[in-house]
Amino acid sequence: MNYQEQLKELKKSDMRDDVEVKFVPGKHEDGWLSDDTRTELQNMFAHNPMFQNMDHKQDKPAKAPKISIQAFRDGMGAKHKNVAKHELIIDNTILNGSVTCRTYVREDLKDQVLPAMIYVHGGAFYGGSMMAVDDIARAFADFGPYRVFNLEYSLAPEHPFPTALLECYNNLKYLHDHATMLKLDPNKFYMSGDSAGGNLTATTAYLDHVIFKTNFLTRIVLYYPDVTEVRDQKKELADTSSYTFKEMGKELTAMADFFSSDELAGNLYRNGHAPEEHLISILNADHLEEMPPTEVIVGEFDPLRGQGEAFNKKLRDSNVETHYIRYNGMSHAFLDSLGYYPQAEDSIEEAVKFLNK
């Protein structure tokens, strides 16, 4: 199947209780990798400095190689394409006097009042950039349609917790306070992020709804969010014993173990703060019943799948409106491959559907 045929096939889904499962196009059961994911993982195991020394034959994963933070940063990201179908106006600006931001709006809607979307990139708190998610932001601006604000927040270890979180919240507040000037609908403020960006999105919403009770955010979407830095919890939620593997089971299990045992990102970000801190490990936070409606999107073989499932369940049990989607055959950071992985484009369409309710 070509890209468009696969995209059409992804409109189908299998509902299992509170989980919407989207199969690999052409497959009708769990456990299969998509062709693109299989190739990506094989290449990652062979060439990415974070994973190339991972020993698949041992019960315990090998430790991360000792390389520089910049080398880790350079190894992040994936090829992506612009899937927006309308002409966009894109500008670089400084928000609130301190944070670099790239803004997006459809040219034909530039004078209209639109919902606001703040996008927060991933990268383990110490990597990533607004340019790495540029095409993701373009898609949200086009599909929403929204005025999108793609944040270039400060990275650890140079700027550890709570710098990035406070930047996200302060910029949310700035945008809401200036909604009229910026042609934003103050009743439709959305936020989304992937991986570490999912953490920052959820914790910003927690500041907004639980701590400060400003209630700026209407809805949020979390892509494979990192919701705990507690070691035992990470290990428990990375357990793949209940998963179905039709191929590469040992490798995928080892990768999940590797993610759960690697503490580099957490240590750099926390900078001495306890991993149990609620604004770091939001899975353990109190008063989650006050959170805004939340959609969680994960991949079947994502090492953070268990964390996403656990957070979605905790929100649902707290009577928060939730929607949970699992893309079969996908691993971590599949959204980065927008334009190459049809699941990435479909997931943005699903996010827009949830946000626009």
Side-chain angles (χ1 to χ4, degrees), residues 3-13 20-25 327-328 341-347 350:
Y3 182 94
Q4 290 301 323
E5 290 170 337
Q6 292 183 66
L7 196 59
K8 183 177 180 180
E9 189 75 10
L10 286 165
K11 302 308 173 190
K12 306 172 186 176
S13 60
E20 182 174 359
V21 178
K22 298 209 175 194
F23 292 115
V24 175
Y327 282 88
N328 275 10
Y341 287 19
Q343 289 84 352
E345 183 171 345
D346 184 76
S347 76
E350 288 289 351

Side-chain angles (χ1 to χ4, degrees), residues 17-34:
D17 296 325
D18 69 316
V19 181
E20 182 174 359
V21 178
K22 298 209 175 194
F23 292 115
V24 175
K27 305 291 185 182
H28 303 285
E29 55 187 357
D30 299 343
W32 296 104
L33 290 163
S34 75

Side-chain angles (χ1 to χ4, degrees), residues 183-203:
K183 296 186 175 64
L184 303 175
D185 183 342
N187 298 311
K188 294 180 179 179
F189 262 63
Y190 309 135
M191 193 167 186
S192 182
D194 59 284
S195 195
N199 174 292
L200 290 169
T201 297
T203 51

Side-chain angles (χ1 to χ4, degrees), residues 72-346:
F72 277 123
R73 289 170 173 167
D74 292 343
M76 292 179 175
K79 292 193 304 180
H80 46 86
K81 292 180 182 178
N82 179 17
V83 298
K85 298 172 178 61
H86 294 83
E87 183 178 350
L88 302 175
I89 297 174
I90 302 172
D91 289 307
N92 293 328
T93 188
I94 302 295
L95 278 185
N96 204 16
S98 60
V99 176
T100 301
C101 174
R102 175 166 274 208
T103 64
Y104 310 72
V105 67
R106 276 173 43 174
E107 199 279 336
D108 59 325
L109 302 175
K110 62 184 179 181
D111 296 322
Q112 294 189 24
V113 174
L114 296 172
M117 156 62 82
I118 300 171
Y119 195 82
V120 189
H121 69 77
F125 301 108
Y126 60 79
S129 70
M130 67 180 187
M131 292 309 301
V133 296
D134 180 63
D135 285 325
I136 296 170
R138 289 171 188 253
F140 272 112
D142 186 28
F143 296 176
Y146 312 130
R147 292 188 188 275
V148 174
F149 300 85
N150 179 5
L151 300 185
E152 189 79 290
Y153 59 88
S154 299
L155 300 177
E158 297 90 343
H159 305 280
F161 175 84
T163 304
L165 173 58
L166 293 179
E167 287 178 348
C168 288
Y169 177 79
N170 287 335
N171 282 288
L172 165 65
K173 184 178 186 303
Y174 174 85
L175 292 173
H176 201 273
D177 288 348
H178 296 82
T180 300
M181 178 184 73
L182 297 170
K183 296 186 175 64
L184 303 175
D185 183 342
N187 298 311
K188 294 180 179 179
F189 262 63
Y190 309 135
M191 193 167 186
S192 182
D194 59 284
S195 195
N199 174 292
L200 290 169
T201 297
T203 51
T204 299
Y206 192 81
L207 283 179
D208 177 37
H209 280 255
V210 182
I211 303 299
F212 299 132
K213 300 189 183 299
T214 42
N215 296 328
F216 298 138
L217 287 171
T218 313
R219 290 173 175 263
I220 61 174
V221 174
L222 312 177
Y223 285 88
Y224 31 85
D226 177 348
V227 294
T228 182
E229 290 299 328
V230 179
R231 181 185 302 177
D232 291 344
Q233 206 167 38
K234 287 172 61 177
K235 183 176 181 181
E236 178 183 355
L237 294 173
D239 181 16
T240 61
S241 60
S242 64
Y243 295 5
T244 298
F245 295 109
K246 294 291 199 307
E247 54 184 324
M248 292 184 71
K250 290 183 179 180
E251 291 86 347
L252 292 165
T253 296
M255 185 171 72
D257 292 341
F258 183 87
F259 265 72
S260 67
S261 61
D262 178 39
E263 298 184 357
L264 177 63
N267 289 340
L268 292 177
Y269 180 59
R270 289 191 293 108
N271 192 35
H273 289 266
E276 295 81 8
E277 161 64 53
H278 289 180
L279 292 174
I280 293 173
S281 297
I282 192 172
L283 180 61
N284 302 308
D286 300 323
H287 307 297
L288 289 177
E289 69 277 3
E290 299 177 39
M291 289 282 284
T294 301
E295 181 172 61
V296 178
I297 299 175
V298 303
E300 180 182 16
F301 302 120
D302 192 322
L304 297 185
R305 167 184 162 181
Q307 292 194 33
E309 288 178 346
F311 190 56
N312 179 76
K313 182 179 186 304
K314 194 162 186 180
L315 290 175
R316 190 183 73 248
D317 290 348
S318 299
N319 295 315
V320 174
E321 180 189 344
T322 63
H323 185 218
Y324 180 77
I325 305 178
R326 190 183 83 206
Y327 282 88
N328 275 10
M330 294 291 100
S331 186
H332 193 62
F334 70 87
L335 185 61
D336 286 358
S337 298
L338 180 64
Y340 291 93
Y341 287 19
Q343 289 84 352
E345 183 171 345
D346 184 76

